Amino acid sequence: MSRIKRWTAALLALLFLFVMAPAAAFAEGDDYILIYAQVPQDWQAPHIWAWADDGTNAFAAWPGEAMEADADNPGWYRCWVPATATNIIINASEGTVQTKDQKIEAKNAWFTIAGPEDVTISYDQQTEGELPEYVATFKIHAQVPESWQDVGLWAWLDPDGTNAFEAWPGKAMAAGEDGWYTAAAPVWVNRIIVNANGGEVQTEDLSIDPAEIWVTVAEDGSAEFTYNDPNAPVAEDITVRVKAPADWTGPCLWAWSAPDGTNAFTSWPGEPLEDTGDGWLTLTVPGWVNSLIVNGNEGSVQTGDLSVEPGKDVWVVVTDAENAAVSYEEPANAAPASDSASAPAAEPQAPAEEPGGMAVGVIVAIAAVVILAAGGVFLAMKKKKQ
């Protein structure tokens, strides 16, 4: 794992800890709300899709976040969502069945679902026992030998020895159709063991950063891991074309992959956009990029985070810091080239950076996004609906 990416993951984890990890359960009306759902018996592996009124999605991609079965209330599943995400779809069976869009109040809610169009919502507790505490988590995926059954995850904080789960062999990992098992662990853990067969077989202790991780386990229990999804499609480089305001000097592009935080460039404000003479400022970036910021004036003025589809050339027309239009073909009514800023003759000087190449300005920007999104780093994508 590169030094830059390791620091990026650590910094993002610290932001999550600062904003998202409360000492006790959130009360209704606080940053997170708890959604329970009781679904039809033929709805397999229920998930939740949630978004705010401004279109900001709570989760990176459809079908959303897997809902956890409540062991104390058979038939009920639960998941935490940001309190701002008051538009809900419950879906299941890999997103092939779903409710219609449900508008809720910003407080804990219980969904009783008899069918896609038969949904009852209550704000009075429908389950027995105390509600669980909110804990920020990250996902751990494991691919294990065929002889490994009942795969489990054990996780703890080193060196103080605080365990994430009550007893060995830990939390059961759910099997996916792609051959990977998945479970979530609190963001404060830094050691894990993948085990199976009631804990009779296991990996060695794995020292990790608190970011989504993929662990490949060999027959002898040895393991390797990566913070990059090995199943992610490999995309060819894409071209980003930009029209920026005329008073934005030295326009640059910052690009990364959300939510894992992999940056395309080593330091803010990114790479200078080039004037190719066709009326657009242009830059080639890796095809896995899904988030952009156009900035100018040595990074002191910038757009918000712009979500884009990986692997597609993109055109961005920036009106001002608050307004930018993204399209995947050249817009017919874009501002003329004379109204847009030209590329700089020399690369602007970067501001002070944190270790690993992430600029302080970027960290502050990420923190602001985290806070505004009620404790999560969320990717704005098109919501799924019928």
Side-chain angles (χ1 to χ4, degrees):
M1 183 181 183
S2 71
R3 179 172 176 266
I4 292 169
K5 187 171 181 186
R6 187 164 55 249
W7 274 100
T8 300
L11 288 167
L12 287 172
L14 288 172
L15 287 173
F16 272 111
L17 284 169
F18 178 76
V19 178
M20 296 173 63
F26 281 124
E28 292 183 0
D30 278 346
D31 288 344
Y32 266 67
I33 57 176
L34 186 59
I35 303 298
Y36 272 88
Q38 191 176 58
V39 301
Q41 290 186 353
D42 59 346
W43 283 32
Q44 302 298 314
H47 282 61
I48 186 168
W49 184 250
W51 68 98
D53 289 338
D54 65 1
T56 302
N57 294 330
F59 310 114
W62 178 264
E65 187 73 4
M67 302 189 76
E68 180 182 5
D70 185 345
D72 297 326
N73 293 275
W76 285 95
Y77 297 82
R78 65 192 181 202
C79 186
W80 293 95
V81 302
T84 55
T86 53
N87 302 278
I88 303 292
I89 292 174
I90 306 296
N91 67 88
S93 305
E94 296 186 346
T96 58
V97 291
Q98 64 175 70
T99 66
K100 290 187 175 181
D101 300 1
Q102 305 293 321
K103 181 69 175 179
I104 65 168
E105 300 176 33
K107 55 185 179 181
N108 298 338
W110 283 256
F111 285 61
T112 302
I113 302 169
E117 300 185 12
D118 189 356
V119 180
T120 302
I121 300 173
S122 175
Y123 300 105
D124 296 322
Q125 184 171 346
Q126 303 296 304
T127 51
E128 301 293 331
E130 294 185 4
L131 298 182
E133 294 183 355
Y134 173 78
V135 178
T137 62
F138 67 102
K139 290 182 179 179
I140 298 168
H141 310 274
Q143 192 172 58
V144 302
E146 292 185 1
S147 61
W148 286 36
Q149 303 297 318
D150 300 322
V151 181
L153 175 70
W154 186 247
W156 71 101
L157 178 64
D158 182 73
D160 73 359
T162 302
N163 294 324
F165 312 118
E166 291 185 1
W168 177 265
K171 187 174 185 177
M173 302 189 76
E177 292 190 358
D178 59 359
W180 290 84
Y181 291 81
T182 301
V187 294
W188 48 261
V189 307
N190 59 11
R191 297 287 191 278
I192 64 169
I193 291 173
V194 178
N195 64 85
N197 304 346
E200 293 182 359
V201 292
Q202 65 176 72
T203 66
E204 60 184 349
D205 298 0
L206 302 176
S207 177
I208 65 166
D209 294 326
E212 187 169 14
I213 186 173
W214 285 261
V215 182
T216 303
V217 183
E219 194 69 47
D220 61 359
S222 60
E224 297 180 348
F225 60 85
T226 176
Y227 297 95
N228 298 312
D229 184 354
N231 296 323
V234 178
E236 296 182 358
D237 288 351
I238 63 170
T239 300
V240 179
R241 297 175 176 86
V242 174
K243 289 186 185 293
D247 58 352
W248 285 26
T249 60
C252 291
L253 185 72
W254 183 252
W256 74 100
S257 171
D260 63 275
T262 304
N263 296 321
F265 313 120
T266 59
S267 61
W268 178 262
E271 289 293 315
L273 288 153
E274 302 175 3
D275 188 349
T276 54
D278 61 356
W280 291 90
L281 304 175
T282 302
L283 191 66
T284 299
V285 300
W288 46 259
V289 160
N290 62 21
S291 302
L292 306 172
I293 290 175
V294 179
N295 65 85
N297 304 357
E298 298 186 357
S300 63
V301 61
Q302 65 176 68
T303 66
D305 297 357
L306 305 175
S307 295
V308 299
E309 296 183 30
K312 291 186 177 181
D313 290 345
V314 62
W315 284 257
V316 182
V317 178
V318 182
T319 305
D320 52 45
E322 286 74 37
N323 296 281
V326 174
S327 59
Y328 300 98
E329 58 184 22
E330 183 171 356
N333 298 319
S338 59
D339 292 339
S340 297
S342 298
E347 185 173 348
Q349 183 177 358
E353 299 173 10
E354 289 291 324
M358 176 172 278
V360 173
V362 177
I363 298 171
V364 173
I366 292 174
V369 173
V370 171
I371 294 169
L372 289 173
V377 178
F378 303 129
L379 182 62
M381 298 175 65
K382 185 181 296 183
K383 68 182 175 118
K384 298 281 184 175
K385 56 192 297 185
Q386 289 179 325

